[in-house]
Amino acid sequence: MEAYKKEFIEFMVESDVLKFGDFTLKSGRKSPFFMNAGAYVTGHQLMKLGEYYAAAIHENFGDDFDVLFGPAYKGIPIAVVTAIAYSNLYGKEIRYCSDRKEEKDHGADKGSFLGSKLKDGDRVIMIEDVTTSGKSMEETVPKVKGAADVTIKGLMVSLNRMEVGLGGKMSALDEIHEKYGFEARAIVTMEEVVEHLYNHDCQGRVVIDDDIKNAIDAYYKQYGCN
């Protein structure tokens, strides 16, 4: 496993973003782990988050794109900090764009989007925190495609939960690829998280002990994808 992935896994735990226990997801599934990107709240955390996203995008998609699109609401700060990190790390100016939950009907920036306007010919990388079912893309992709003649090159998320999506046969990221035609990648997978944290000391404690590991294994027997 690459060093930056190990660092990112520990960074999620240290930032109290990735938790283990008993959680009910938006989908209704009972999960032994939960990720909340809204817990990145300090300047240092946001700076590091942008750097991890930028590194993963650079590795998976290269630099031939123009816009980072972060769906409201959690995707907005992620797109902003990643655009900053891209400029600092790779010397490439990337524009950011996000959608509004409610269209603004006044002022110079009225409309359905924040940040840069999408233009014909733009190459777009979508950016989100985590995708469990892929449902968010059903709303976001038509918005982006309807704004201009753009090419969506891919989607980058923090964590691939590696569980079946809405179709019940393959992962949400694979479903997105099959439905929309662009690659969907993650900085780390849940398999990598377990591999790195199982019986491993992180901040003076073991966050995945035998009990948590057994609960994760049971969860994947029910919801996991091959």
Side-chain angles (χ1 to χ4, degrees), residues 120-182:
D120 289 351
D122 276 343
R123 299 159 300 176
V124 179
I125 298 289
M126 312 286 277
I127 193 165
E128 281 203 296
D129 55 346
V130 65
T131 297
T132 302
S133 67
K135 187 176 181 180
S136 62
M137 288 294 105
E138 292 182 355
E139 302 173 359
T140 305
V141 170
K143 282 186 181 180
V144 173
K145 290 279 195 179
D149 183 14
V150 304
T151 299
I152 299 177
K153 293 197 65 178
L155 166 69
M156 180 61 67
V157 301
S158 290
L159 177 67
N160 182 355
R161 290 183 58 100
M162 301 179 65
E163 59 193 83
V164 291
L166 293 174
K169 294 181 180 178
M170 62 181 74
S171 74
L173 296 188
D174 287 338
E175 284 184 352
I176 288 168
H177 175 57
E178 184 177 81
K179 183 171 184 178
Y180 300 109
F182 55 81

Side-chain angles (χ1 to χ4, degrees), residues 27-88:
S27 63
R29 296 174 183 175
K30 301 285 188 181
S31 173
F33 59 92
F34 181 72
M35 194 202 124
N36 173 28
Y40 295 118
V41 293
T42 70
H44 178 73
Q45 288 172 340
L46 291 166
M47 178 189 72
K48 295 298 295 180
L49 179 65
E51 290 173 354
Y52 287 121
Y53 264 98
I57 291 170
H58 179 74
E59 179 180 299
N60 285 275
F61 298 115
D63 299 332
D64 293 330
F65 66 99
D66 309 292
V67 181
L68 285 168
F69 188 93
Y73 288 104
K74 289 180 182 176
I76 297 174
I78 298 174
V80 171
V81 297
T82 304
I84 295 169
Y86 229 94
S87 178
N88 290 336

Side-chain angles (χ1 to χ4, degrees), residues 182-196:
F182 55 81
E183 294 291 336
R185 305 286 176 82
I187 302 176
V188 293
T189 67
M190 199 59 205
E191 183 179 26
E192 290 170 327
V193 169
V194 174
E195 174 189 333
H196 183 60

Side-chain angles (χ1 to χ4, degrees), residues 193-213:
V193 169
V194 174
E195 174 189 333
H196 183 60
L197 291 181
Y198 179 45
N199 284 335
H200 171 78
D201 184 89
C202 182
Q203 275 197 318
R205 62 193 177 101
V206 173
V207 292
I208 299 184
D209 56 17
D210 288 339
D211 289 339
I212 295 294
K213 175 66 163 55

